[in-house]
Structures are given as structure tokens and as C-alpha cells.
Amino acid sequence: MAVEQIVFVVLALFAVATALLTITRRNPVSAAMWLVGHFATLGGLYLTLNAQFIAVIQVLVYAGAIMVLVLFVIMLLNITKEEKSKNKLSTKNVFGIGAVAVLGLEICAIIWSGTKDSPQTISVQSANIGTVEFIGHQLFTQYSFPFEAISFVLLAAIVGAVMLAKKNVD
Amino acid sequence: MQNIPLNWYLILSAVLFMIGAAGVVTRRNAIIIFMSIELMLNAVNVTLVAFSSFLGNVNGQMLVFFVMTVAAAESAVGLAIVISLFRNKQTVNVNEINILKW
């Protein structure tokens, strides 16, 4: 195996392991810390795809801002550990995991059957399109309308979060 | 970086999406369900960035940029909902939150 493939396999195994640890920890703080590791690993995977800008904002926005917000809320609410469920194999869990497994098999089958004529190597332009310069240029020319529209989404989220979280003063 | 097949990225993304979906259907802590949703969003982002790099087209990475922005907005609103739920019910266990149940 080439060295790039070894790097990919290590990062992928780490990503899957941290994702599994995230959804199995009973203490929400440990789950959040594993999720921070997961997001940092995905940043490394984006680097193997020559997407430098996305890798940086993945670490800044996800592993930094969003997870700090999540940890802040966990500590604000003083949530205790989820109590052990009496029956691990309840009907809900069995049906849920079964449905998820079917979904995953369908996705994998579609991938195996549908990517025969897609490109097999990373395109040579990808080294240029992932840079901050190129993405910034696209963002303020071709994508200026979505860029402005997304700022309204953020404004609505700020107002909504304040309205939802504030105490009702009747 | 020329010899990692596209399928590896797509399979990894499908596996991560499955893990996130399994977290949503099996966990009862609202904050962990919220984190599983973030896992699923990131799994899809991996697919978008992989196709963007393999096709040499910037649109996928722009879409990931907007997905991240929407995820930040979603986390702010979602956590505000969790805070107001906790204020009213003193719990984040979704089995006990059934005020909208018919």
C-alpha cells in the first residue's frame, strides 16, 4: 500500500472509532470530547483531499465553536449520566439498528454499482480549488447571493436562540 | 495523494452516516441525539468534499461551507430548545419529554 493509503486507513479507522465511542458513552461530557477528536480527524481527511480551507474551518467551527457551545450547555444544565437501560435489546433498539443497517447496505450497494465511470484519481486542479484564495474569490463573485442569504439564516438563529432560551417574563 | 480510490471515501462516509443514525434511534439523551445529528452532517460533508476534489469542481466545497454555517445556526437553536426544555421539565431524557404526544 502506498503511504497515502496508509494515512487514509489510519484516519478512517480513527474516525469510525471516535464516532462509535461518541454514541456509546453514557456521560455526555466524554461523548462530546470524543466528538471533538472525530471532527479533528475529519479535518485530516479533508487535507488528504487537498481541501485546505474546509479542513481549517472544520477544526475552527466544528471542533472549536460548536463543540464548546455543546460542552457549555452540558455543564450549564448539570446533566447526570444516562441511567443504564433495563433491557439493552428493547424492541425499539432492535428495530432502529435493523433499519439503520438496511439503510447502510443500500447506500453501500448504490456506491458499488454507481461509481464505475466516476474519476479514479484526485483531479489535478484540486490543489488549486481548495485554497482560501480560490474559495474566497468564488464566494464573493459567483456565490455572493447565497453568502448574503446565509447571513440572514445566522441572524434568524441568533434571534431564535435568544427568544427560546430567555426566561418568560409575563 | 493520487492513489486513494473515490470509493474508500464514499464507504467511510456511509459508515459514519450509519453510526450517526444509530445514535439518533438508540440514545435517549437529547444532547447526545443532537451530537449524532452533527455526526450525520459531517458524514455527508466527507462525500461532498471527496466528489469536489475528484471532479476538480469547487461547488462541492462551497456547499460544505454553507452546510457548516447552517449547522452552526442549527446548534445554536437546538441547544436553546434543550435549555428551555430542561427549564420546564428538569430532564433531557427524550422518553420523558412527551408534551406534544397525542
Side-chain angles (χ1 to χ4, degrees), chain A residues 2 4-5 8-9 12 15-16 19-20 23-26 28 31-32 35 38-39 42 45-46 48-49 51 53-54 57-58 62 66-67 69-70 73-74 76-77 79 82-83 85 92-93 96-97 100-101 103-104 107-108 111-112 115 118-123 125-126 129-130 134-135 138-139 143 146-147 150 153-154 157 161 164-167, chain B residues 1-12 14-29 31-32 34-36 38-39 41-43 45-46 49-77 79-84 86-87 92-96:
Chain A
E4 291 93 352
Q5 295 184 337
F8 174 86
V9 168
V16 171
L20 281 173
I23 67 158
T24 50
R25 296 304 92 187
R26 281 193 294 129
L35 196 56
H38 178 77
F39 288 156
L42 287 190
L45 275 170
Y46 293 151
T48 67
L49 285 165
F53 175 71
I54 298 294
I57 62 167
Q58 168 83 17
Y62 264 114
I66 292 181
M67 291 319 292
L69 192 63
V70 169
V73 167
I74 292 171
L76 191 69
L77 299 186
I79 300 164
E82 201 174 309
E83 77 285 4
S85 60
K92 190 191 104 188
N93 284 5
I97 293 186
V100 166
L103 171 74
I107 295 176
C108 290
I111 289 170
W112 278 122
T115 55
S118 53
Q120 289 311 306
T121 54
I122 290 184
S123 90
Q125 296 112 295
S126 70
I129 66 168
F134 191 82
I135 290 192
Q138 290 289 307
L139 203 56
Y143 287 88
F147 184 73
I150 207 82
V153 172
L154 286 175
L164 280 168
K166 79 168 191 203
K167 261 207 178 86
Chain B
M1 304 297 172
Q2 297 297 311
N3 36 23
I4 306 171
L6 175 60
N7 272 351
W8 291 18
Y9 287 101
L10 300 184
I11 298 282
L12 171 69
V15 169
L16 292 179
F17 191 89
M18 270 173 68
I19 294 172
V24 170
V25 293
T26 55
R27 297 305 300 263
R28 288 154 296 148
N29 185 329
I31 291 192
I32 295 190
F34 172 82
M35 289 194 260
S36 304
E38 299 285 335
L39 271 179
L41 278 170
N42 272 279
N45 282 354
V46 172
V49 175
F51 273 118
S52 166
S53 289
F54 276 79
L55 297 173
N57 187 332
V58 77
N59 291 351
Q61 293 188 27
M62 302 307 296
L63 191 52
V64 169
F65 177 81
F66 291 120
V67 166
M68 281 183 181
T69 320
V70 172
E74 175 241 339
S75 73
V77 174
L79 291 170
I81 290 174
V82 171
I83 288 178
S84 77
F86 191 80
R87 183 177 290 135
V92 289
N93 187 331
V94 290
N95 284 351
E96 294 167 34

